[in-house]
Amino acid sequence: MKLLAHTLCLALALAWAQSQDHASAVLDRCQGLEMDAVAVNDEGIPYFFKGDHVFKGFHGKAELSNESFAELDDHHHLGHVDAAFRMHFEDSPTDHDHMFFFLDTMVFSYYQHKLEGGYPKTIAEVFPGIPDHLDAAVECPKPECDEDSVIFFKGDEIYHYNVRTKAVYEKEFKSMPNCTSAFRFMEHYYCFHGHMFSKFDPKTGDVHGKYPKEARDYFMRCSKFSDDSDHMERERCSRVHLDAIASDNAGNMYAFRGHHFLRKEEGNDTLTGDTIENSFKELHSEVDAVFTYQDHLYMFKDDQVFLYKIGEPHTHLDGYPKNVKDELGIEGPIDAAFVCEDHHIAHLIKGQQIYDVELKASPRVAGNQRPISLFKKVDAALCGATGVKVIVGNHFYHFSSTMLFVAGRALPEQHRVSLELFGCDH
């Protein structure tokens, strides 16, 4: 009995030590990881898989994959996901918005993070004609492909799988490197190879433009790490959402993301860029929200607000930073903020609530609290002569007034931030 108890204690100690080693293994996506698979969830958030971990979105720490998709580990003792994609075909109602994961010879289908009944199944059963041990997969709806299809990659072999007829067509993509993962984002197609990526035509595999490019410049929030990084191009075309945006009385726009910001001049669309550290050294980096009022930039970071006089250079005012609660009558942090032209009301967004602050009042108090029904979270917002632009992820939505934004029950047309605000061509 003593021997059995001793053996059991050793086994428990070993298991605990292994779990601690596993938990302490920190993956850093900014170190140039080669992702095993990439897929976009039903809210449009990309999931980057590496080993038994997943990175959700464009920044943030790795999480264990089995915390979101438990059965992957239950059935497979997860080493890594070979390939993944979201079936986004409205003509296929039984599979629409399902996420498929490929591991060795098996495929798992999830809907709203729940494993579908009967899964996992063999790849041959669900996708006949598609080989095992895949490298990558990506959905391709028509007309981007001739028919609603899934493109599978294995080495230099490319398979177009017709979702409706289950026919398989082998393709040859001569100008593309072998993909270690692939995904569709904002109607464009990306092949990742190592920590580089190329944008490709899903029908032909043609790669146009200057590729490959560094994935950490566009799909991750990493500070500049290479002399080859063009931060102007990077910030114009990055897929990482903006942290804050504002325009001054002259109509110049300021957009903030991570360690950098862009300034777009009114009238000529000239873009300039710099680091936050260089132009707003007291802030260092990563602001939460910004608005302008009477030629001053109010810049929020955590529970503090910094005040700068707009100019060349911007001048940090004495006495700041101040506590957001003391300055504006609301607890920080703030998600987004804006002031409309010729008005003296600051609109502060915190979660799914919006508050008004009369800037001429003393003391200032956040009042007129209202719920925002259209968005779970707002990343940034901007108000100008034509109304309010609300930025969520990589898109923005235009409302003619603050009232229509708050009271709205239907989303207006979706616009791309990189294309329509900054003139990026991809």
Side-chain angles (χ1 to χ4, degrees):
M1 181 64 74
K2 287 183 178 180
L3 179 61
L4 178 60
H6 183 67
T7 303
L8 180 59
C9 287
L10 283 174
L12 290 172
L14 179 60
W16 181 85
Q18 288 175 336
S19 69
Q20 292 300 105
D21 288 343
H22 187 70
S24 64
V26 178
L27 295 176
D28 183 353
R29 67 171 93 192
C30 292
Q31 294 302 312
L33 297 179
E34 177 180 287
M35 298 298 176
D36 299 320
V38 186
V40 178
N41 75 355
D42 55 0
E43 295 180 344
I45 298 171
Y47 283 13
F48 298 86
F49 293 87
K50 179 63 179 178
D52 55 359
H53 284 74
V54 60
F55 297 93
K56 295 179 180 179
F58 297 109
H59 61 99
K61 297 180 179 179
E63 304 173 16
L64 286 170
S65 302
N66 59 17
E67 292 178 358
S68 298
F69 307 99
E71 296 82 2
L72 294 178
D73 209 19
D74 292 345
H75 287 275
H76 193 80
H77 305 295
L78 181 61
H80 73 272
V81 175
D82 294 328
F85 74 92
R86 176 171 65 118
M87 185 79 83
H88 193 57
F89 308 128
E90 295 183 5
D91 291 341
S92 180
T94 57
D95 290 328
H96 180 63
D97 274 346
H98 286 58
M99 293 183 76
F100 287 86
F101 299 92
F102 298 82
L103 290 79
D104 295 338
T105 62
M106 308 299 291
V107 59
F108 297 69
S109 173
Y110 283 85
Y111 182 67
Q112 296 181 344
H113 283 231
K114 294 181 180 179
L115 186 68
E116 289 292 286
Y119 281 87
K121 299 179 181 180
T122 65
I123 295 174
E125 180 182 356
V126 183
F127 298 97
I130 300 302
D132 299 332
H133 303 282
L134 293 163
D135 292 327
V138 62
E139 73 278 11
C140 186
K142 60 182 181 184
E144 294 165 23
C145 279
D146 293 331
E147 299 290 341
D148 287 342
S149 305
V150 182
I151 307 173
F152 293 96
F153 302 81
K154 182 173 181 177
D156 56 5
E157 297 174 338
I158 315 294
Y159 304 86
H160 276 230
Y161 178 88
N162 186 309
V163 172
R164 183 177 58 84
T165 66
K166 299 185 182 299
V168 177
Y169 305 93
E170 290 196 42
K171 298 266 187 170
E172 186 176 6
F173 286 179
K174 292 183 178 180
S175 61
M176 254 174 64
N178 291 347
C179 302
T180 53
S181 59
F183 85 134
R184 174 180 178 266
F185 192 67
M186 295 174 65
E187 294 81 50
H188 292 298
Y189 292 79
Y190 301 96
C191 163
F192 290 84
H193 32 99
H195 54 83
M196 308 297 286
F197 76 94
S198 298
K199 188 181 75 168
F200 67 95
D201 184 315
K203 293 182 180 179
T204 65
D206 290 342
V207 175
H208 301 290
K210 189 179 178 181
Y211 290 95
K213 294 182 179 179
E214 171 60 71
R216 289 171 287 181
D217 270 344
Y218 297 90
F219 294 99
M220 301 167 198
R221 172 175 286 176
C222 303
S223 58
K224 186 175 178 179
F225 50 84
S226 169
D227 291 337
D228 296 330
S229 295
D230 180 344
H231 73 257
M232 181 67 68
E233 166 73 4
R234 159 203 176 113
E235 295 306 321
R236 286 176 63 235
C237 302
S238 175
R239 306 304 186 257
V240 181
H241 70 74
L242 293 174
D243 296 325
I245 192 168
S247 61
D248 60 24
N249 290 345
N252 303 312
M253 184 175 69
Y254 302 82
F256 300 83
R257 180 191 289 115
H259 297 264
H260 292 81
F261 77 96
L262 290 175
R263 180 177 180 271
K264 183 179 179 182
E265 294 183 11
E266 172 64 17
N268 59 16
D269 290 340
T270 299
L271 281 171
T272 56
D274 203 349
T275 64
I276 294 174
E277 174 76 33
N278 189 47
S279 293
F280 307 96
K281 62 181 181 181
E282 295 80 8
L283 271 165
H284 303 298
S285 67
E286 299 191 26
V287 297
D288 297 325
V290 176
F291 70 78
T292 64
Y293 178 64
Q294 293 184 338
D295 292 322
H296 287 79
L297 283 162
Y298 287 73
M299 306 180 73
F300 298 84
K301 185 178 179 69
D302 301 325
D303 61 353
Q304 294 185 311
V305 57
F306 297 73
L307 192 59
Y308 288 86
K309 174 71 173 175
I310 296 172
E312 295 294 339
H314 304 297
T315 305
H316 183 247
L317 269 63
D318 292 338
Y320 287 85
K322 292 182 179 180
N323 187 276
V324 175
K325 176 72 172 177
D326 295 338
E327 182 77 358
L328 297 172
I330 186 173
E331 296 286 351
I334 303 298
D335 294 326
F338 61 92
V339 174
C340 295
E341 288 186 333
D342 301 324
H343 290 188
H344 304 279
I345 304 293
H347 304 284
L348 308 181
I349 299 172
K350 187 179 171 75
Q352 287 188 279
Q353 303 292 318
I354 186 168
Y355 304 80
D356 294 346
V357 178
E358 170 56 68
L359 295 174
K360 284 188 171 182
S362 182
R364 293 166 172 170
V365 178
N368 194 23
Q369 177 182 352
R370 295 96 78 204
I372 299 170
S373 60
L374 289 176
F375 305 103
K376 292 181 180 179
K377 186 180 186 303
V378 172
D379 292 315
L382 174 73
C383 189
T386 61
V388 182
K389 292 183 174 69
V390 178
I391 298 175
V392 178
N394 304 276
H395 296 94
F396 70 88
Y397 305 84
H398 181 260
F399 299 86
S400 298
S401 67
T402 304
M403 183 185 72
L404 291 176
F405 159 48
V406 176
R409 293 294 180 267
L411 281 176
E413 182 182 357
Q414 189 181 74
H415 301 271
R416 297 182 192 174
V417 171
S418 59
L419 178 67
E420 296 182 57
L421 288 187
F422 302 127
C424 181
D425 61 357
H426 62 85

